[in-house]
Amino acid sequence: MKKFIFGILSVAMASMLMLGCGGDGGKKPAAPAAQTDKKVVVKVGATPVPHAELLNFVKPQLAKEGVDLQVIEFTDYVKPNLSLSDKELDANFFQHIPFLEKTCQERNLKLVVLDKIHIEPMGCYSKKYKDIKSLPNGAKVAIPNDPTNGGRSLMLLEAAGLLKLKDGKGITATPNDLAANPKNLKIIEVESATLPRALDDTDLAVINSNFAMEAKLNPVKDSLFIEKDSPYANVIAVRTGDEKRPELVKLAKALKTPEVKKFIQDKYKGAVVPAF
């Protein structure tokens, strides 16, 4: 009798084990549903204003398109290109074309323009004077010391009537390329990011709009003189060969919508101008 009962219990336990493993009488369990919400990560290096702000504005739209946009902020003009070249980034967004070309030439980097997004007019600022024509003889004038922006600032000072460059000198001009300096201005070359702070120690500073806005300066209202019809469009840069990566194409497209144009116009009110 004990053997009979033990046999019945053994059969019952075996049946329960089979149900537990098979769930449907021995058939294999259904495969888990395929994941359809996986996003492609895209890391973009940018200076905070306005570049990171524009990227964060389009981030929700890109998420809907399967792109997880990660914005990495930089406060200088050197590291973003080096990080992109070293594959720490997928793209960067902070510079204009002449700067990119000059940097690639000097550092032997293989980077290219993916698309033009906006223009940031460069302006002249002062805490001491309300009119650029009021600058005294021997005034101290701070300009960017980085490639192309130095020449660009000298071209702006020339347009303002403060000096004259030698014939044929333009974007690559340096303080050594002055043909005339009637007010004997003392040109001081300063790292671009520190130019707003240089206003305390100089009579005039020529500042890129992104750094001016970070310092709470309004390029339209606060500058004494500003670029007109600037050709220096800020661009998305990528490594050579990555121009057709689908997620990067989506990034460029997202930054050139009517919604982005309106955002630029409403938020920056002329300090940043759409290039599309």
Side-chain angles (χ1 to χ4, degrees):
M1 185 67 178
K2 287 182 180 180
K3 290 182 179 181
F4 177 74
I5 293 173
F6 179 79
I8 292 175
L9 290 173
S10 297
V11 172
M13 288 178 68
S15 298
M16 289 176 67
L17 286 171
M18 288 180 66
L19 286 172
C21 293
D24 59 354
K27 294 181 181 179
K28 292 182 179 180
Q35 298 210 355
T36 59
D37 59 348
K38 186 176 181 180
K39 292 182 174 63
V40 178
V41 174
V42 173
K43 295 181 179 180
V44 182
T47 44
V49 181
H51 307 85
E53 292 178 341
L54 292 173
L55 290 169
N56 284 318
F57 178 76
V58 301
K59 189 172 183 175
Q61 178 58 41
L62 286 170
K64 295 177 184 178
E65 299 176 25
V67 177
D68 178 11
L69 178 62
Q70 297 182 7
V71 182
I72 294 89
E73 294 191 4
F74 293 83
T75 56
D76 73 288
Y77 284 168
V78 177
K79 292 180 183 177
N81 279 329
L82 298 180
S83 294
L84 177 57
S85 179
D86 291 339
K87 298 186 178 181
E88 296 170 357
L89 302 172
D90 298 292
N92 68 38
F93 180 35
F94 75 99
Q95 63 194 323
H96 53 64
I97 295 173
F99 183 89
L100 173 65
E101 291 176 343
K102 184 72 172 175
T103 303
C104 288
Q105 180 184 7
E106 290 182 347
R107 296 180 178 269
N108 194 29
L109 306 179
K110 296 182 186 294
L111 308 178
V112 293
V113 172
L114 181 63
D115 216 333
K116 300 176 183 178
I117 305 301
H118 71 271
I119 297 166
E120 299 170 22
M122 181 177 271
C124 300
Y125 300 82
S126 176
K127 286 187 175 182
K128 299 177 182 178
Y129 303 97
K130 299 296 183 183
D131 187 336
I132 199 164
K133 295 180 180 178
S134 301
L135 281 181
N137 289 331
K140 295 180 180 179
V141 179
I143 67 170
N145 68 352
D146 54 85
T148 71
N149 278 317
R152 180 184 176 188
S153 66
L154 291 172
M155 291 170 65
L156 184 61
L157 293 172
E158 182 178 45
L162 294 176
L163 51 80
K164 182 173 177 56
L165 294 172
K166 294 176 182 177
D167 291 342
K169 296 297 181 180
I171 193 67
T172 60
T174 72
N176 295 324
D177 296 318
L178 303 187
N181 184 7
K183 288 197 173 187
N184 194 30
L185 301 178
K186 296 179 180 178
I187 308 296
I188 304 167
E189 295 179 282
V190 177
E191 185 181 349
S192 293
T194 65
L195 279 164
R197 296 197 295 274
L199 284 171
D200 293 326
D201 303 313
T202 59
D203 298 294
L204 188 77
V206 186
I207 308 175
N208 295 78
S209 283
N210 61 312
F211 291 127
M213 288 186 288
E214 284 179 40
K216 308 303 180 186
L217 293 169
N218 185 314
V220 176
K221 295 180 180 179
D222 298 328
S223 64
L224 304 187
F225 193 81
I226 196 168
E227 280 178 331
K228 305 290 191 244
D229 303 319
S230 171
Y232 303 105
N234 278 226
V235 300
I236 304 169
V238 299
R239 288 184 296 277
T240 301
D242 280 357
E243 300 95 319
K244 294 184 179 180
R245 279 175 54 185
E247 59 271 24
L248 297 180
V249 173
K250 288 179 181 179
L251 170 65
K253 186 177 179 181
L255 285 167
K256 297 183 70 174
T257 62
E259 291 78 13
V260 171
K261 179 177 284 189
K262 186 176 186 305
F263 176 80
I264 290 174
Q265 293 169 337
D266 291 348
K267 183 173 180 64
Y268 304 112
K269 302 185 186 303
V272 179
V273 182
F276 55 93

